[in-house]
Amino acid sequence: MTNASTATAIGTSIGRAAQSVVYRAGVIGRRPAIPVAFPELERAARRHVSRAAYAYIAGSAGLERTDAADTAAFGRHRIVPRVLRDVAERDLSIELFGRTVPAPLLLAPIGVLELARRDGDAAAARAAAAQGLPFTISTQASAPMEAVAAAMDATRPGAARWFQLYWSSSRDLVASLVARAEACGCEAIVVTLDTHVLGWRPRDLALGYLPFSRGLGIAQYTSDPVFRDLVRERMAGAGPRERTPVTPAAVASFASILRHHPGDLRENLRSGEPLAAVETFLDVFADPSLGWDDLAFLRECTRLPIVLKGVLHPDDARRAVDAGVDAVQVSTHGGRQIDGEVAALDALPGVVEAVAGRLPVLFDSGIRGGADAVVALALGARAVAIGRPYAYALAVAGERGVRELLRNVLAELDITLGLAGVRRVADLDASALARSL
C-alpha cells in the first residue's frame, strides 16, 4: 500500500486540484474524458458497449428492486455540516490490516471487464495503482491474476491488490487460486458469499447470454494447473458429445470460446479442450454446501487477511468475528443476486453494531460518488468499494476514464468532508448525519 505521507498528500489536495484541472482545461475548450455525473456516465457507457454487455454490467436480479433500494437508501440520510472549523488540511487516509491506505476507497471485483473494454482488467488495475488504491482482482477476470499484478507493478511497484474468491466445489482449486494470489502479491482474500447460486437476472436471460458459456471471464481457471487437470480428467472420461445445432449464434459462440482459450488455435480446435474447459468451469464454479466450518480450510491455505463479502445480518457478522476472519463487507452484490433484498446501507449500522469494533466493516453496493462514500463512512464503514461506476468509465474512455472516475470520487469525498466541517475521515461518525423520512 502507500506510506502515510502519500496518503496525507492525497487528502489535502485532491479536491481543489481536480477542480483546478477541469476548469483550467475548460478555458481552452477541453472537456472531461467521461461525464462527471453518474446518470450521464451510465448513459454514455451504454452507447459504447454491446447490448449483451450492457445488460450484463447494468442488470440486477428480478425486477431490480434491490439495486434501486441500494441507491435510494442514501437519500434517507442527510449530511449536517458543522461550521467555523479549521478544515484547511484534510486527511482521507485510513488504517486497514495494519497498513495506511491513502483513502477509504477500494475498487470492487467486477467479472468479465473485457465486456467494457478489451484488456479491461489491466486498465482498471493500472488506474487504481496510479491513485494508490487497492484493486480487487476478480476470480472471473478476463486475464490471469499474475498479468493484472504485473500491470499494476509497472504503474506503481508493490501496488495494493486483493483477490476475490468464488469458492469452487473443488477444494484443490480453491487452494491453488489462493496460493497464486498470495504469490503474485495480493494482500487480502475476499470471499464472496452470496453467489453460491447464480441470481435470476432477467436482462441476461432475455438475451440467453452468459459470458462464461462463451469462454469469457474464466482466465483465472484456464491459467490454473489444478483446473487444467480437471479439464483433462473430464476429457478422458467423456462419452460421445451431444451434437449442437449449427446456427450462426452457435458458430459465433464457439469462435468466442476458441479465441479466449490459451494455447495454439489449431491444437485447441483439434483437441476440444476449450469446450471442455467451459463445461468444467460451469460444473465447479460454486459450492452451495459451503458452511462456516469450511473457513478453517481457507485459513489453513493462507496467512493473508480474510474478508467475508456479502454479510448483511448482524448474527452473521457476530459469527464472522467468532470465526476469526479479518473483516466483513456489507454488500448486496450490487443487487445482482436477490430481488427485494435489504439495502446494503440499511444493513450497515446493524453489522457495525454487531462487530463492535472487533474487526473492520467494509461496504459496497450503491456508491455513486464521494458524497455517498461520506454517508457510508459516517455510518461505520472503514472503507467503501466502488463497482459499476468504474466499469462504465472503462467503457467510455478506458484507463483514462477510470483514472478520472477515481479522481472525481476522491475529489468529491474530500470536498464534502471539508464542507461538512470534518478534517479527517477517521473522525466521521453518525453525528454528521440526520435521518430523512
Side-chain angles (χ1 to χ4, degrees):
M1 298 192 182
T2 70
N3 60 38
S5 61
T6 302
T8 301
I10 289 178
T12 58
S13 64
I14 193 167
R16 183 174 178 180
Q19 289 175 323
S20 178
V21 166
V22 173
Y23 291 140
R24 286 176 182 271
V27 170
I28 57 174
R30 294 178 181 169
R31 299 292 182 265
I34 61 170
V36 177
F38 178 79
E40 287 76 13
L41 176 62
E42 185 175 33
R43 285 193 289 270
R46 187 169 193 169
R47 296 193 295 269
H48 282 79
V49 299
S50 69
R51 182 185 178 195
Y54 182 76
Y56 184 80
I57 296 169
S60 293
L63 298 177
E64 304 191 347
R65 289 172 291 195
T66 303
D67 184 30
D70 279 337
T71 54
F74 286 91
R76 293 193 289 275
H77 298 273
R78 296 287 187 265
I79 297 169
V80 183
R82 299 300 302 273
V83 299
L84 295 176
R85 293 182 169 186
D86 179 2
V87 291
E89 293 189 358
R90 297 177 296 281
D91 182 2
L92 301 188
S93 68
I94 61 167
E95 295 298 317
L96 190 59
F97 304 144
R99 304 287 192 95
T100 299
V101 185
L105 184 65
L106 321 169
L107 275 71
I110 296 182
V112 208
L113 278 173
E114 68 179 293
L115 292 175
R117 177 76 54 139
R118 181 174 295 182
D119 198 30
D121 296 285
R126 286 192 297 266
Q131 285 285 7
L133 300 175
F135 179 80
T136 311
I137 302 172
S138 174
T139 308
Q140 305 312 135
S142 297
M145 65 183 85
E146 294 82 1
V148 178
M152 297 186 75
D153 283 338
T155 300
R156 181 190 294 261
R161 58 252 187 187
W162 299 359
F163 179 68
Q164 173 245 9
L165 176 69
Y166 283 119
W167 197 298
S168 169
S169 60
S170 166
R171 280 203 168 191
D172 288 342
L173 180 56
V174 170
S176 182
L177 290 169
V178 170
R180 289 172 58 199
E182 195 162 348
C184 72
C186 292
E187 299 178 355
I189 302 297
V190 182
V191 185
T192 295
L193 302 175
D194 55 16
T195 317
H196 49 283
V197 175
L198 188 66
W200 185 256
R201 301 174 186 173
R203 295 201 207 194
D204 297 334
L205 290 162
L207 297 173
Y209 184 77
L210 183 68
F212 316 118
S213 65
R214 290 158 171 79
L216 283 71
I218 62 172
Q220 305 297 15
Y221 299 83
T222 56
S223 60
D224 192 274
V226 171
F227 181 79
R228 291 198 297 267
D229 285 344
L230 293 173
V231 173
R232 284 190 284 268
E233 290 172 11
R234 183 187 191 93
M235 294 173 67
R241 182 180 296 276
E242 181 180 343
R243 290 184 61 85
T244 300
V246 178
T247 66
V251 172
S253 296
F254 183 59
S256 175
I257 291 170
L258 285 174
R259 188 170 64 252
H260 288 88
H261 195 80
D264 179 74
L265 178 61
R266 286 177 296 181
E267 175 59 24
N268 286 338
L269 185 60
R270 183 199 65 78
S271 70
E273 182 177 298
L275 279 175
V278 169
E279 292 167 351
T280 302
F281 163 76
L282 294 173
D283 281 350
V284 305
F285 162 66
D287 182 2
S289 71
L290 193 67
W292 286 98
D293 291 342
D294 293 305
L295 294 176
F297 170 76
L298 182 59
R299 179 50 75 203
E300 292 174 0
C301 293
T302 183
R303 294 183 179 180
L304 293 178
I306 296 172
V307 181
L308 298 186
K309 181 179 184 293
V311 174
L312 294 166
H313 197 288
D315 288 347
D316 288 339
R318 282 184 278 266
R319 289 206 67 173
V321 173
D322 294 339
V325 303
D326 300 277
V328 295
Q329 188 158 331
V330 175
S331 169
T332 67
H333 210 105
R336 293 170 64 78
Q337 283 299 97
I338 300 177
D339 190 28
E341 191 172 15
V342 61
L345 193 72
D346 290 339
L348 177 61
V351 171
V352 170
E353 182 180 6
V355 303
R358 291 172 289 177
L359 49 74
V361 177
L362 312 179
F363 177 87
D364 72 72
S365 301
I367 298 288
R368 299 294 179 255
D372 289 341
V374 168
V375 171
L377 294 165
L379 290 175
R382 179 74 60 86
V384 303
I386 194 164
R388 285 189 181 97
Y390 87 77
Y392 293 150
L394 183 68
V396 173
E399 180 181 341
R400 180 187 173 190
V402 181
R403 288 191 184 215
E404 277 200 14
L405 184 280
L406 297 177
R407 179 204 66 188
N408 293 348
V409 173
L410 290 171
E412 186 184 16
L413 169 57
D414 175 44
I415 289 168
T416 304
L417 198 70
L419 291 173
V422 180
R423 295 184 63 178
R424 304 187 311 143
V425 160
D427 294 334
L428 272 173
D429 59 29
S431 67
L433 304 176
R435 182 82 175 177
S436 175
L437 298 179

